[in-house]
Amino acid sequence: MKVFVAGGAGYIGSVCTEYLLDKGYDVTVFDGLITGHRQAVDPRAKFIYGNLEDRDFLFKCLCEGRYDAVMHFAAFSLVGESMKDPGKYFKNNLGNAINLADAAVKGGVKRFVFSSTAATFGIPEEMPIRETTAQKPINPYGESKLCFEKALRWYSDIHGLKYAALRYFNAAGASENYGEDHNPESHLIPILLQVAAGKRAKAMLFGDDYDTPDGTCIRDYIHVLDLAQAHEKALYAPESGHYNLGTGAGLSVKQILEAARKVTGHPIPADVVPRRPGDPPRLIACSDKARRELGWKPQYEDAETIIASVWKWMQKHPDGYEF
């Protein structure tokens, strides 16, 4: 199977590319390197430098490549930034995604796997969160992703483009060769490990007065290799639809902090600061549908295993991809 991976130079896209290549797929990465890294593209993959804004070039690539499937990871994903510049998020996460869907249809692609997000649910009305839980985004990032989920349904109905929208919860972890290198870094685990590595003086815990056992927010951390497995499984989804991806086991910020201290042997000093607006106390996935319909089985479900994979990658790449 020939797979066209838009955004394959980013964090999750790079690991998924590696995973597909290991499984014997023919993979082409398409990326404009706006937030991705050229060094994060597996050398076994074909690489096309390009931007999803360029419809003509995108159409040329998809029509000439004769791909069987498209995977779409090329999105902006900073919630805070989306609250300051919503136009940037709707232009890329919806408008440019439409360009990719149009090119896929024109190129005769039959399957489309979309990197969506739990942010489409906003502050959920039930826990754990199911695919049927009401989607009420509370920021432009989540709204832009939800808009494209809705667009994909019409592309499926009208053009026969079979799709799977995979709603990630808290992506974490690293593979042997590829990991997380954001600037600025906004994710908890790499921030804690940057403290352990001496690159930050301390971490900040946003609120310790939530209605949770230890007062800090609880999230569902899913290893990036398990996300990669889900993307490969989604290529064979029985029908178009949406899938939540998480372990179903929530971990608090303080639990992640203690696990990071144990893995690194570093005290990792951390200060409690005021809550961030809009942070729900708990976000936990029900992933029964993905397990049942896709045959998905997460392999890395405990905090120490996830954190150890990141720590190992960071020690091999102390400056990220700047080597």
Side-chain angles (χ1 to χ4, degrees):
M1 186 182 288
K2 293 185 68 177
V3 184
F4 182 89
V5 179
Y11 170 41
I12 300 170
S14 64
V15 176
C16 285
T17 294
E18 177 188 40
Y19 187 92
L20 292 172
L21 289 162
D22 288 346
K23 291 279 187 175
Y25 291 81
D26 182 332
V27 182
T28 296
V29 168
F30 182 96
D31 203 297
L33 304 179
I34 297 170
T35 57
H37 306 271
R38 181 64 181 89
Q39 301 96 319
V41 179
D42 192 300
R44 296 171 293 171
K46 301 178 185 70
F47 178 69
I48 299 174
Y49 177 80
N51 196 299
L52 296 180
E53 286 183 333
D54 190 342
R55 278 178 65 93
D56 290 342
F57 183 55
L58 190 58
F59 274 58
K60 180 177 184 291
C61 292
L62 268 296
C63 290
E64 292 180 356
R66 299 184 178 276
Y67 298 99
D68 300 294
V70 165
M71 288 188 180
H72 178 34
F73 299 94
F76 295 133
S77 59
L78 297 177
V79 169
E81 182 185 56
S82 79
M83 293 294 285
K84 297 175 182 177
D85 190 359
K88 175 179 179 179
Y89 278 69
F90 284 101
K91 182 179 180 182
N92 183 65
N93 295 1
L94 179 59
N96 288 347
I98 292 294
N99 290 344
L100 182 58
D102 285 341
V105 170
K106 186 70 172 179
V109 175
K110 300 302 181 186
R111 291 183 175 270
F112 195 108
V113 181
F114 173 47
S115 169
S116 191
T117 172
T120 62
F121 294 105
I123 299 176
E125 297 177 352
E126 63 178 348
M127 198 69 58
I129 302 168
R130 304 178 186 278
E131 284 78 8
T132 54
T133 300
Q135 291 176 282
K136 299 178 181 179
I138 58 172
N139 52 66
Y141 165 61
E143 190 75 51
S144 66
K145 290 281 196 168
L146 178 57
C147 286
F148 189 60
E149 279 193 12
K150 292 180 176 180
L152 279 174
R153 182 178 72 82
W154 291 106
Y155 276 76
S156 177
D157 290 349
I158 295 168
H159 298 297
L161 181 63
K162 205 167 188 178
Y163 76 92
L166 305 182
R167 297 167 182 157
Y168 311 162
F169 279 63
N170 279 49
S175 72
E176 190 72 25
N177 298 306
Y178 303 105
E180 198 166 0
D181 183 9
H182 297 130
N183 186 21
E185 185 54 70
S186 61
H187 293 167
L188 176 62
I189 290 173
I191 285 173
L192 295 177
L193 297 186
Q194 285 174 358
V195 176
K199 293 185 176 295
R200 292 175 185 254
K202 59 187 175 181
M204 293 185 294
L205 310 186
F206 294 98
D208 65 351
D209 57 349
Y210 287 93
D211 183 19
T212 61
D214 66 18
T216 61
C217 288
I218 292 173
R219 295 292 182 265
D220 192 336
Y221 292 87
I222 179 72
H223 198 292
V224 68
L225 284 171
D226 286 329
L227 290 179
Q229 180 206 149
H231 281 77
E232 195 255 343
K233 297 282 190 186
L235 293 171
Y236 308 96
E239 58 186 24
S240 290
H242 312 88
Y243 299 90
N244 292 347
L245 298 179
T247 65
L251 294 167
S252 74
V253 172
K254 285 184 177 177
Q255 285 176 310
I256 292 294
L257 173 59
E258 289 306 316
R261 287 169 170 164
K262 185 173 181 180
V263 167
T264 63
H266 191 282
I268 309 183
D271 288 346
V272 176
V273 296
R275 295 184 184 190
R276 292 179 300 193
D279 267 348
R282 290 177 175 83
L283 289 176
I284 301 173
C286 174
S287 300
D288 291 351
K289 184 181 178 185
R291 296 169 192 260
R292 182 179 64 252
E293 294 187 5
L294 303 181
W296 178 61
K297 296 179 181 178
Q299 303 295 309
Y300 310 93
E301 299 188 85
D302 68 281
E304 289 179 24
T305 299
I306 292 172
I307 292 168
S309 70
V310 183
W311 186 233
K312 182 178 180 181
W313 188 84
M314 287 178 66
Q315 289 179 307
K316 287 174 62 179
H317 304 88
D319 298 313
Y321 287 109
E322 299 303 318
F323 53 81

